[in-house]
mmCIF file of all heavy atoms in Angstrom:
data_model
loop_
_atom_site.group_PDB
_atom_site.id
_atom_site.type_symbol
_atom_site.label_atom_id
_atom_site.label_comp_id
_atom_site.label_asym_id
_atom_site.label_seq_id
_atom_site.Cartn_x
_atom_site.Cartn_y
_atom_site.Cartn_z
ATOM 1 N N LYS A 46 -14.376 -12.816 11.292
ATOM 2 C CA LYS A 46 -15.776 -12.466 11.534
ATOM 3 C C LYS A 46 -15.933 -11.866 12.923
ATOM 4 O O LYS A 46 -14.929 -11.756 13.652
ATOM 5 C CB LYS A 46 -16.649 -13.715 11.447
ATOM 6 C CG LYS A 46 -16.231 -14.880 12.367
ATOM 7 C CD LYS A 46 -17.149 -16.016 12.091
ATOM 8 C CE LYS A 46 -16.864 -17.126 13.042
ATOM 9 N NZ LYS A 46 -17.574 -18.357 12.872
ATOM 10 N N LYS A 47 -17.119 -11.498 13.314
ATOM 11 C CA LYS A 47 -17.371 -10.910 14.631
ATOM 12 C C LYS A 47 -17.256 -11.997 15.711
ATOM 13 O O LYS A 47 -18.271 -12.457 16.277
ATOM 14 C CB LYS A 47 -18.828 -10.384 14.674
ATOM 15 C CG LYS A 47 -18.909 -8.918 14.572
ATOM 16 C CD LYS A 47 -20.319 -8.440 14.774
ATOM 17 C CE LYS A 47 -20.347 -7.042 15.355
ATOM 18 N NZ LYS A 47 -21.737 -6.624 15.733
ATOM 19 N N ALA A 48 -16.041 -12.394 15.951
ATOM 20 C CA ALA A 48 -15.808 -13.512 16.890
ATOM 21 C C ALA A 48 -15.911 -13.030 18.358
ATOM 22 O O ALA A 48 -15.577 -11.878 18.626
ATOM 23 C CB ALA A 48 -14.428 -14.133 16.626
ATOM 24 N N LEU A 49 -16.381 -13.984 19.173
ATOM 25 C CA LEU A 49 -16.500 -13.694 20.578
ATOM 26 C C LEU A 49 -15.192 -13.275 21.164
ATOM 27 O O LEU A 49 -15.110 -12.411 22.059
ATOM 28 C CB LEU A 49 -16.932 -14.958 21.284
ATOM 29 C CG LEU A 49 -18.139 -14.790 22.260
ATOM 30 C CD1 LEU A 49 -19.410 -15.146 21.499
ATOM 31 C CD2 LEU A 49 -17.950 -15.767 23.400
ATOM 32 N N GLY A 50 -14.083 -13.895 20.741
ATOM 33 C CA GLY A 50 -12.817 -13.640 21.285
ATOM 34 C C GLY A 50 -12.313 -12.191 21.140
ATOM 35 O O GLY A 50 -11.395 -11.731 21.836
ATOM 36 N N LEU A 51 -12.932 -11.467 20.212
ATOM 37 C CA LEU A 51 -12.541 -10.084 20.009
ATOM 38 C C LEU A 51 -12.706 -9.218 21.263
ATOM 39 O O LEU A 51 -12.006 -8.218 21.423
ATOM 40 C CB LEU A 51 -13.296 -9.476 18.834
ATOM 41 C CG LEU A 51 -12.834 -9.907 17.430
ATOM 42 C CD1 LEU A 51 -13.885 -9.422 16.416
ATOM 43 C CD2 LEU A 51 -11.473 -9.396 17.128
ATOM 44 N N ARG A 52 -13.544 -9.668 22.139
ATOM 45 C CA ARG A 52 -13.812 -8.902 23.383
ATOM 46 C C ARG A 52 -12.538 -8.850 24.251
ATOM 47 O O ARG A 52 -12.314 -7.898 25.004
ATOM 48 C CB ARG A 52 -14.971 -9.476 24.198
ATOM 49 C CG ARG A 52 -14.681 -10.850 24.759
ATOM 50 C CD ARG A 52 -15.909 -11.543 25.219
ATOM 51 N NE ARG A 52 -15.607 -12.986 25.224
ATOM 52 C CZ ARG A 52 -16.200 -13.850 25.950
ATOM 53 N NH1 ARG A 52 -17.153 -13.463 26.795
ATOM 54 N NH2 ARG A 52 -15.928 -15.133 25.887
ATOM 55 N N TYR A 53 -11.685 -9.854 24.104
ATOM 56 C CA TYR A 53 -10.401 -9.777 24.848
ATOM 57 C C TYR A 53 -9.457 -8.769 24.331
ATOM 58 O O TYR A 53 -8.757 -8.103 25.032
ATOM 59 C CB TYR A 53 -9.718 -11.194 24.920
ATOM 60 C CG TYR A 53 -10.605 -12.263 25.493
ATOM 61 C CD1 TYR A 53 -10.928 -13.449 24.780
ATOM 62 C CD2 TYR A 53 -11.099 -12.082 26.794
ATOM 63 C CE1 TYR A 53 -11.731 -14.408 25.381
ATOM 64 C CE2 TYR A 53 -11.938 -13.077 27.357
ATOM 65 C CZ TYR A 53 -12.190 -14.247 26.645
ATOM 66 O OH TYR A 53 -13.020 -15.169 27.195
ATOM 67 N N ALA A 54 -9.434 -8.643 22.946
ATOM 68 C CA ALA A 54 -8.627 -7.626 22.357
ATOM 69 C C ALA A 54 -9.073 -6.272 22.787
ATOM 70 O O ALA A 54 -8.290 -5.374 23.111
ATOM 71 C CB ALA A 54 -8.676 -7.734 20.805
ATOM 72 N N GLU A 55 -10.401 -6.091 22.872
ATOM 73 C CA GLU A 55 -11.032 -4.840 23.292
ATOM 74 C C GLU A 55 -10.617 -4.569 24.794
ATOM 75 O O GLU A 55 -10.137 -3.455 25.107
ATOM 76 C CB GLU A 55 -12.503 -4.923 23.156
ATOM 77 C CG GLU A 55 -13.177 -3.622 23.172
ATOM 78 C CD GLU A 55 -14.673 -3.732 23.025
ATOM 79 O OE1 GLU A 55 -15.162 -4.707 22.431
ATOM 80 O OE2 GLU A 55 -15.406 -2.818 23.476
ATOM 81 N N LYS A 56 -10.816 -5.560 25.622
ATOM 82 C CA LYS A 56 -10.537 -5.419 27.035
ATOM 83 C C LYS A 56 -9.087 -4.984 27.308
ATOM 84 O O LYS A 56 -8.818 -4.127 28.164
ATOM 85 C CB LYS A 56 -10.839 -6.729 27.747
ATOM 86 C CG LYS A 56 -10.600 -6.658 29.259
ATOM 87 C CD LYS A 56 -11.059 -7.903 29.950
ATOM 88 C CE LYS A 56 -10.617 -7.825 31.409
ATOM 89 N NZ LYS A 56 -10.635 -9.142 32.033
ATOM 90 N N TYR A 57 -8.191 -5.576 26.535
ATOM 91 C CA TYR A 57 -6.741 -5.286 26.792
ATOM 92 C C TYR A 57 -6.245 -4.238 25.866
ATOM 93 O O TYR A 57 -5.029 -4.045 25.693
ATOM 94 C CB TYR A 57 -5.940 -6.594 26.647
ATOM 95 C CG TYR A 57 -6.154 -7.518 27.830
ATOM 96 C CD1 TYR A 57 -7.136 -8.496 27.814
ATOM 97 C CD2 TYR A 57 -5.408 -7.370 28.994
ATOM 98 C CE1 TYR A 57 -7.381 -9.319 28.896
ATOM 99 C CE2 TYR A 57 -5.603 -8.196 30.063
ATOM 100 C CZ TYR A 57 -6.575 -9.189 30.039
ATOM 101 O OH TYR A 57 -6.822 -9.990 31.111
ATOM 102 N N GLU A 58 -7.139 -3.546 25.158
ATOM 103 C CA GLU A 58 -6.856 -2.460 24.226
ATOM 104 C C GLU A 58 -5.774 -2.819 23.213
ATOM 105 O O GLU A 58 -4.709 -2.122 23.062
ATOM 106 C CB GLU A 58 -6.409 -1.210 25.061
ATOM 107 C CG GLU A 58 -7.591 -0.710 25.906
ATOM 108 C CD GLU A 58 -7.195 0.467 26.834
ATOM 109 O OE1 GLU A 58 -5.988 0.698 27.003
ATOM 110 O OE2 GLU A 58 -8.159 1.123 27.329
ATOM 111 N N ILE A 59 -5.984 -3.885 22.549
ATOM 112 C CA ILE A 59 -5.080 -4.343 21.483
ATOM 113 C C ILE A 59 -5.733 -4.013 20.184
ATOM 114 O O ILE A 59 -6.917 -4.202 19.932
ATOM 115 C CB ILE A 59 -4.844 -5.917 21.586
ATOM 116 C CG1 ILE A 59 -4.170 -6.220 22.972
ATOM 117 C CG2 ILE A 59 -3.968 -6.382 20.462
ATOM 118 C CD1 ILE A 59 -4.208 -7.708 23.312
ATOM 119 N N ASN A 60 -4.909 -3.563 19.235
ATOM 120 C CA ASN A 60 -5.420 -3.277 17.862
ATOM 121 C C ASN A 60 -6.149 -4.493 17.310
ATOM 122 O O ASN A 60 -5.573 -5.608 17.422
ATOM 123 C CB ASN A 60 -4.277 -2.991 16.860
ATOM 124 C CG ASN A 60 -3.788 -1.583 16.979
ATOM 125 O OD1 ASN A 60 -4.485 -0.707 17.577
ATOM 126 N ND2 ASN A 60 -2.639 -1.345 16.402
ATOM 127 N N ARG A 61 -7.293 -4.297 16.752
ATOM 128 C CA ARG A 61 -8.032 -5.459 16.299
ATOM 129 C C ARG A 61 -8.780 -5.112 14.995
ATOM 130 O O ARG A 61 -9.116 -4.001 14.781
ATOM 131 C CB ARG A 61 -9.080 -5.970 17.350
ATOM 132 C CG ARG A 61 -10.002 -4.825 17.746
ATOM 133 C CD ARG A 61 -10.602 -5.125 19.135
ATOM 134 N NE ARG A 61 -11.388 -3.941 19.592
ATOM 135 C CZ ARG A 61 -10.891 -2.937 20.233
ATOM 136 N NH1 ARG A 61 -9.639 -2.904 20.576
ATOM 137 N NH2 ARG A 61 -11.658 -1.882 20.649
ATOM 138 N N LYS A 62 -8.929 -6.140 14.153
ATOM 139 C CA LYS A 62 -9.591 -5.892 12.851
ATOM 140 C C LYS A 62 -10.343 -7.095 12.427
ATOM 141 O O LYS A 62 -9.847 -8.256 12.499
ATOM 142 C CB LYS A 62 -8.478 -5.546 11.888
ATOM 143 C CG LYS A 62 -8.916 -5.005 10.611
ATOM 144 C CD LYS A 62 -9.108 -3.556 10.651
ATOM 145 C CE LYS A 62 -9.742 -2.957 9.416
ATOM 146 N NZ LYS A 62 -10.184 -1.593 9.555
ATOM 147 N N ILE A 63 -11.562 -6.866 11.928
ATOM 148 C CA ILE A 63 -12.274 -7.960 11.289
ATOM 149 C C ILE A 63 -12.010 -7.859 9.833
ATOM 150 O O ILE A 63 -12.213 -6.766 9.232
ATOM 151 C CB ILE A 63 -13.833 -7.882 11.601
ATOM 152 C CG1 ILE A 63 -14.079 -8.022 13.083
ATOM 153 C CG2 ILE A 63 -14.565 -8.927 10.801
ATOM 154 C CD1 ILE A 63 -15.518 -7.780 13.489
ATOM 155 N N VAL A 64 -11.479 -8.945 9.223
ATOM 156 C CA VAL A 64 -11.257 -8.900 7.765
ATOM 157 C C VAL A 64 -12.151 -9.898 7.106
ATOM 158 O O VAL A 64 -12.156 -11.086 7.431
ATOM 159 C CB VAL A 64 -9.750 -9.274 7.501
ATOM 160 C CG1 VAL A 64 -9.504 -9.268 5.986
ATOM 161 C CG2 VAL A 64 -8.804 -8.305 8.206
ATOM 162 N N ASN A 65 -13.017 -9.349 6.197
ATOM 163 C CA ASN A 65 -13.916 -10.178 5.512
ATOM 164 C C ASN A 65 -13.221 -11.018 4.454
ATOM 165 O O ASN A 65 -12.442 -10.587 3.669
ATOM 166 C CB ASN A 65 -14.910 -9.216 4.796
ATOM 167 C CG ASN A 65 -16.070 -9.888 4.228
ATOM 168 O OD1 ASN A 65 -15.905 -10.916 3.574
ATOM 169 N ND2 ASN A 65 -17.225 -9.309 4.425
ATOM 170 N N PHE A 66 -13.526 -12.393 4.556
ATOM 171 C CA PHE A 66 -12.842 -13.264 3.619
ATOM 172 C C PHE A 66 -13.720 -13.673 2.383
ATOM 173 O O PHE A 66 -13.505 -14.733 1.836
ATOM 174 C CB PHE A 66 -12.371 -14.517 4.385
ATOM 175 C CG PHE A 66 -10.973 -14.471 4.874
ATOM 176 C CD1 PHE A 66 -10.623 -13.683 5.911
ATOM 177 C CD2 PHE A 66 -9.956 -15.209 4.270
ATOM 178 C CE1 PHE A 66 -9.299 -13.575 6.364
ATOM 179 C CE2 PHE A 66 -8.658 -15.091 4.671
ATOM 180 C CZ PHE A 66 -8.293 -14.296 5.731
ATOM 181 N N ARG A 67 -14.693 -12.901 2.055
ATOM 182 C CA ARG A 67 -15.530 -13.226 0.888
ATOM 183 C C ARG A 67 -14.592 -13.462 -0.343
ATOM 184 O O ARG A 67 -14.808 -14.249 -1.169
ATOM 185 C CB ARG A 67 -16.551 -12.155 0.620
ATOM 186 C CG ARG A 67 -17.988 -12.640 0.889
ATOM 187 C CD ARG A 67 -18.990 -11.651 0.353
ATOM 188 N NE ARG A 67 -18.566 -10.293 0.674
ATOM 189 C CZ ARG A 67 -19.231 -9.545 1.567
ATOM 190 N NH1 ARG A 67 -20.249 -9.998 2.234
ATOM 191 N NH2 ARG A 67 -18.809 -8.310 1.780
ATOM 192 N N ASN A 68 -13.613 -12.516 -0.390
ATOM 193 C CA ASN A 68 -12.591 -12.675 -1.443
ATOM 194 C C ASN A 68 -11.211 -12.861 -0.742
ATOM 195 O O ASN A 68 -10.699 -11.909 -0.113
ATOM 196 C CB ASN A 68 -12.597 -11.399 -2.301
ATOM 197 C CG ASN A 68 -11.570 -11.522 -3.385
ATOM 198 O OD1 ASN A 68 -10.461 -11.945 -3.218
ATOM 199 N ND2 ASN A 68 -11.927 -11.035 -4.577
ATOM 200 N N ASN A 69 -10.699 -14.101 -0.804
ATOM 201 C CA ASN A 69 -9.516 -14.433 -0.072
ATOM 202 C C ASN A 69 -8.306 -13.541 -0.501
ATOM 203 O O ASN A 69 -7.498 -13.142 0.404
ATOM 204 C CB ASN A 69 -9.109 -15.889 -0.352
ATOM 205 C CG ASN A 69 -9.879 -16.822 0.491
ATOM 206 O OD1 ASN A 69 -11.008 -16.506 0.961
ATOM 207 N ND2 ASN A 69 -9.353 -17.962 0.747
ATOM 208 N N LYS A 70 -8.184 -13.291 -1.774
ATOM 209 C CA LYS A 70 -7.043 -12.520 -2.248
ATOM 210 C C LYS A 70 -7.006 -11.133 -1.589
ATOM 211 O O LYS A 70 -5.984 -10.678 -1.127
ATOM 212 C CB LYS A 70 -7.052 -12.413 -3.753
ATOM 213 C CG LYS A 70 -6.302 -13.471 -4.455
ATOM 214 C CD LYS A 70 -6.158 -13.060 -5.943
ATOM 215 C CE LYS A 70 -5.449 -14.174 -6.661
ATOM 216 N NZ LYS A 70 -5.455 -13.885 -8.136
ATOM 217 N N ILE A 71 -8.179 -10.517 -1.677
ATOM 218 C CA ILE A 71 -8.301 -9.141 -1.092
ATOM 219 C C ILE A 71 -8.079 -9.171 0.422
ATOM 220 O O ILE A 71 -7.362 -8.327 0.964
ATOM 221 C CB ILE A 71 -9.669 -8.536 -1.482
ATOM 222 C CG1 ILE A 71 -9.755 -8.349 -2.980
ATOM 223 C CG2 ILE A 71 -9.891 -7.157 -0.761
ATOM 224 C CD1 ILE A 71 -11.141 -7.898 -3.453
ATOM 225 N N ALA A 72 -8.628 -10.184 1.041
ATOM 226 C CA ALA A 72 -8.494 -10.273 2.508
ATOM 227 C C ALA A 72 -7.033 -10.454 2.904
ATOM 228 O O ALA A 72 -6.527 -9.759 3.779
ATOM 229 C CB ALA A 72 -9.266 -11.522 2.999
ATOM 230 N N GLU A 73 -6.354 -11.278 2.199
ATOM 231 C CA GLU A 73 -4.892 -11.521 2.492
ATOM 232 C C GLU A 73 -4.080 -10.235 2.278
ATOM 233 O O GLU A 73 -3.165 -9.954 2.992
ATOM 234 C CB GLU A 73 -4.379 -12.661 1.702
ATOM 235 C CG GLU A 73 -4.935 -14.014 2.223
ATOM 236 C CD GLU A 73 -4.259 -15.256 1.589
ATOM 237 O OE1 GLU A 73 -3.554 -15.090 0.603
ATOM 238 O OE2 GLU A 73 -4.456 -16.344 2.138
ATOM 239 N N LYS A 74 -4.424 -9.538 1.196
ATOM 240 C CA LYS A 74 -3.688 -8.301 0.891
ATOM 241 C C LYS A 74 -3.855 -7.309 2.061
ATOM 242 O O LYS A 74 -2.923 -6.659 2.491
ATOM 243 C CB LYS A 74 -4.236 -7.652 -0.412
ATOM 244 C CG LYS A 74 -3.414 -7.987 -1.623
ATOM 245 C CD LYS A 74 -3.825 -7.150 -2.777
ATOM 246 C CE LYS A 74 -3.138 -7.697 -4.038
ATOM 247 N NZ LYS A 74 -3.776 -7.125 -5.213
ATOM 248 N N LYS A 75 -5.128 -7.201 2.523
ATOM 249 C CA LYS A 75 -5.456 -6.269 3.639
ATOM 250 C C LYS A 75 -4.647 -6.696 4.887
ATOM 251 O O LYS A 75 -4.126 -5.856 5.590
ATOM 252 C CB LYS A 75 -6.964 -6.315 3.956
ATOM 253 C CG LYS A 75 -7.770 -5.502 3.073
ATOM 254 C CD LYS A 75 -9.229 -5.523 3.569
ATOM 255 C CE LYS A 75 -10.141 -4.814 2.537
ATOM 256 N NZ LYS A 75 -11.541 -5.103 2.788
ATOM 257 N N ILE A 76 -4.595 -8.010 5.133
ATOM 258 C CA ILE A 76 -3.904 -8.504 6.290
ATOM 259 C C ILE A 76 -2.398 -8.207 6.236
ATOM 260 O O ILE A 76 -1.792 -7.746 7.230
ATOM 261 C CB ILE A 76 -4.146 -10.004 6.518
ATOM 262 C CG1 ILE A 76 -5.608 -10.231 6.890
ATOM 263 C CG2 ILE A 76 -3.249 -10.564 7.606
ATOM 264 C CD1 ILE A 76 -6.021 -11.691 7.014
ATOM 265 N N LEU A 77 -1.807 -8.369 5.075
ATOM 266 C CA LEU A 77 -0.378 -8.152 4.870
ATOM 267 C C LEU A 77 -0.077 -6.695 5.189
ATOM 268 O O LEU A 77 0.949 -6.333 5.834
ATOM 269 C CB LEU A 77 0.088 -8.493 3.474
ATOM 270 C CG LEU A 77 0.229 -10.033 3.230
ATOM 271 C CD1 LEU A 77 0.400 -10.306 1.766
ATOM 272 C CD2 LEU A 77 1.438 -10.541 4.043
ATOM 273 N N ILE A 78 -0.994 -5.807 4.794
ATOM 274 C CA ILE A 78 -0.745 -4.336 5.051
ATOM 275 C C ILE A 78 -0.825 -4.084 6.595
ATOM 276 O O ILE A 78 0.013 -3.385 7.168
ATOM 277 C CB ILE A 78 -1.799 -3.478 4.301
ATOM 278 C CG1 ILE A 78 -1.567 -3.554 2.839
ATOM 279 C CG2 ILE A 78 -1.791 -2.029 4.801
ATOM 280 C CD1 ILE A 78 -2.672 -2.947 1.937
ATOM 281 N N LEU A 79 -1.825 -4.737 7.221
ATOM 282 C CA LEU A 79 -1.916 -4.579 8.697
ATOM 283 C C LEU A 79 -0.690 -5.106 9.441
ATOM 284 O O LEU A 79 -0.220 -4.506 10.431
ATOM 285 C CB LEU A 79 -3.182 -5.324 9.204
ATOM 286 C CG LEU A 79 -4.536 -4.666 8.883
ATOM 287 C CD1 LEU A 79 -5.651 -5.691 9.084
ATOM 288 C CD2 LEU A 79 -4.721 -3.411 9.704
ATOM 289 N N LEU A 80 -0.175 -6.202 8.935
ATOM 290 C CA LEU A 80 0.987 -6.846 9.581
ATOM 291 C C LEU A 80 2.185 -5.911 9.495
ATOM 292 O O LEU A 80 2.918 -5.752 10.419
ATOM 293 C CB LEU A 80 1.326 -8.200 8.980
ATOM 294 C CG LEU A 80 0.231 -9.281 9.166
ATOM 295 C CD1 LEU A 80 0.543 -10.509 8.270
ATOM 296 C CD2 LEU A 80 0.141 -9.706 10.624
ATOM 297 N N GLU A 81 2.299 -5.346 8.309
ATOM 298 C CA GLU A 81 3.444 -4.394 8.010
ATOM 299 C C GLU A 81 3.337 -3.152 8.922
ATOM 300 O O GLU A 81 4.251 -2.779 9.577
ATOM 301 C CB GLU A 81 3.355 -4.068 6.526
ATOM 302 C CG GLU A 81 4.439 -3.068 6.085
ATOM 303 C CD GLU A 81 5.491 -3.757 5.271
ATOM 304 O OE1 GLU A 81 5.208 -4.814 4.660
ATOM 305 O OE2 GLU A 81 6.635 -3.253 5.253
ATOM 306 N N LYS A 82 2.103 -2.613 8.901
ATOM 307 C CA LYS A 82 1.831 -1.384 9.684
ATOM 308 C C LYS A 82 2.152 -1.581 11.136
ATOM 309 O O LYS A 82 2.636 -0.643 11.839
ATOM 310 C CB LYS A 82 0.344 -1.047 9.580
ATOM 311 C CG LYS A 82 0.036 0.138 8.725
ATOM 312 C CD LYS A 82 -1.401 0.524 8.911
ATOM 313 C CE LYS A 82 -1.917 1.546 7.962
ATOM 314 N NZ LYS A 82 -3.358 1.590 7.994
ATOM 315 N N ASN A 83 1.874 -2.776 11.674
ATOM 316 C CA ASN A 83 2.011 -3.029 13.061
ATOM 317 C C ASN A 83 3.384 -3.675 13.396
ATOM 318 O O ASN A 83 3.578 -4.186 14.513
ATOM 319 C CB ASN A 83 0.871 -3.891 13.585
ATOM 320 C CG ASN A 83 -0.408 -3.094 13.713
ATOM 321 O OD1 ASN A 83 -0.594 -2.403 14.705
ATOM 322 N ND2 ASN A 83 -1.230 -3.183 12.689
ATOM 323 N N ASN A 84 4.205 -3.768 12.422
ATOM 324 C CA ASN A 84 5.590 -4.377 12.572
ATOM 325 C C ASN A 84 5.526 -5.781 13.171
ATOM 326 O O ASN A 84 6.260 -6.080 14.134
ATOM 327 C CB ASN A 84 6.467 -3.465 13.464
ATOM 328 C CG ASN A 84 6.877 -2.236 12.726
ATOM 329 O OD1 ASN A 84 7.312 -2.308 11.563
ATOM 330 N ND2 ASN A 84 6.729 -1.085 13.346
ATOM 331 N N ILE A 85 4.685 -6.600 12.627
ATOM 332 C CA ILE A 85 4.495 -7.957 13.252
ATOM 333 C C ILE A 85 5.601 -8.895 12.778
ATOM 334 O O ILE A 85 5.835 -9.033 11.586
ATOM 335 C CB ILE A 85 3.076 -8.502 12.855
ATOM 336 C CG1 ILE A 85 2.006 -7.553 13.379
ATOM 337 C CG2 ILE A 85 2.913 -9.937 13.286
ATOM 338 C CD1 ILE A 85 1.939 -7.434 14.934
ATOM 339 N N ASP A 86 6.124 -9.630 13.720
ATOM 340 C CA ASP A 86 7.188 -10.594 13.390
ATOM 341 C C ASP A 86 6.806 -12.015 13.602
ATOM 342 O O ASP A 86 7.477 -12.962 13.300
ATOM 343 C CB ASP A 86 8.436 -10.355 14.273
ATOM 344 C CG ASP A 86 9.238 -9.136 13.678
ATOM 345 O OD1 ASP A 86 9.302 -9.067 12.460
ATOM 346 O OD2 ASP A 86 9.677 -8.313 14.463
ATOM 347 N N LEU A 87 5.647 -12.244 14.364
ATOM 348 C CA LEU A 87 5.175 -13.615 14.569
ATOM 349 C C LEU A 87 3.657 -13.626 14.462
ATOM 350 O O LEU A 87 2.975 -12.742 15.036
ATOM 351 C CB LEU A 87 5.594 -14.024 16.015
ATOM 352 C CG LEU A 87 5.028 -15.315 16.548
ATOM 353 C CD1 LEU A 87 5.525 -16.558 15.793
ATOM 354 C CD2 LEU A 87 5.378 -15.527 18.048
#
Side-chain angles (χ1 to χ4, degrees):
K46 59 181 182 184
K47 254 186 152 188
L49 228 96
L51 284 170
R52 66 193 157 156
Y53 300 124
E55 196 180 335
K56 180 174 174 199
Y57 288 91
E58 296 177 343
I59 299 167
N60 277 346
R61 55 203 174 271
K62 192 87 187 166
I63 297 173
V64 178
N65 189 314
F66 265 73
R67 248 191 318 251
N68 180 319
N69 278 26
K70 267 192 183 172
I71 295 174
E73 289 189 346
K74 264 191 189 165
K75 279 186 187 162
I76 292 176
L77 284 167
I78 291 169
L79 288 166
L80 295 170
E81 178 108 24
K82 253 192 191 167
N83 287 278
N84 287 314
I85 298 300
D86 282 320
L87 170 68

